[in-house]
Amino acid sequence: MNLIHTLGVSASALAAERFRMDVISTNLANANTMRIGGNDPYRRKIVSLLENYDGSVSINGIVEDMSPFRVVQDPGNPYADSEGLVYYSNTNPITEMVDMISASRAYEANLNAFNLTKQMLQSALDIGRV
């Protein structure tokens, strides 16, 4: 592995973590959606990452979380069913915030690795200068 390859690995991880943070943001934005008119509320989405043979990271896909929806007894809600139940998204904001912190830290770590590699390359180029 050379330093140029290290930059590529860090860049792929940066892109993957950025995409992961975008999906988490979408989950948070839709955390309070509910079943309306027979349409199910928003299902939480999870990003699946894949390690490539060269050490880089790619996005394998997005998987929907099939856990049950959050059900609240609220007979006064206009979107309640005949039993007075309202179905909300299966997104838990606390879980999403923990995932967001994890993705943010991973992004920062990869950014630091990228910048350190860039500094090493610059230092190597400076050796030959008079």
Side-chain angles (χ1 to χ4, degrees):
M1 181 180 296
N2 59 35
L3 289 178
I4 299 296
H5 178 73
T6 304
L7 289 174
V9 170
S10 293
S12 71
L14 285 170
E17 293 300 335
R18 175 67 191 176
F19 184 76
R20 191 170 153 221
M21 286 190 280
D22 288 344
V23 171
I24 292 169
S25 296
T26 303
N27 288 342
L28 281 170
N30 290 293
N32 290 322
T33 60
M34 61 180 89
R35 178 180 289 168
I36 298 175
N39 295 325
D40 282 341
Y42 178 81
R43 280 202 178 273
R44 177 177 182 248
K45 296 185 174 34
I46 303 168
V47 175
S48 172
L49 300 179
L50 178 69
E51 178 186 358
N52 297 322
Y53 68 92
D54 62 350
S56 64
V57 179
S58 62
I59 299 164
N60 191 30
I62 298 176
V63 180
E64 285 192 343
D65 183 357
M66 298 308 289
S67 63
F69 295 119
R70 184 170 46 103
V71 180
V72 175
Q73 178 78 28
D74 187 8
N77 190 316
Y79 300 110
D81 64 6
S82 60
E83 299 173 1
L85 301 176
V86 180
Y87 294 87
Y88 287 95
S89 171
N90 60 353
T91 301
N92 181 344
I94 295 171
T95 302
E96 296 304 316
M97 289 307 298
V98 170
D99 286 349
M100 181 66 87
I101 291 169
S102 170
S104 176
R105 300 271 191 234
Y107 187 89
E108 288 174 11
N110 282 294
L111 186 60
N112 284 337
F114 186 89
N115 285 333
L116 286 174
T117 304
K118 192 171 76 174
Q119 287 175 355
M120 285 191 290
L121 285 169
Q122 186 63 45
S123 296
L125 290 173
D126 288 343
I127 289 174
R129 291 188 183 166
V130 179

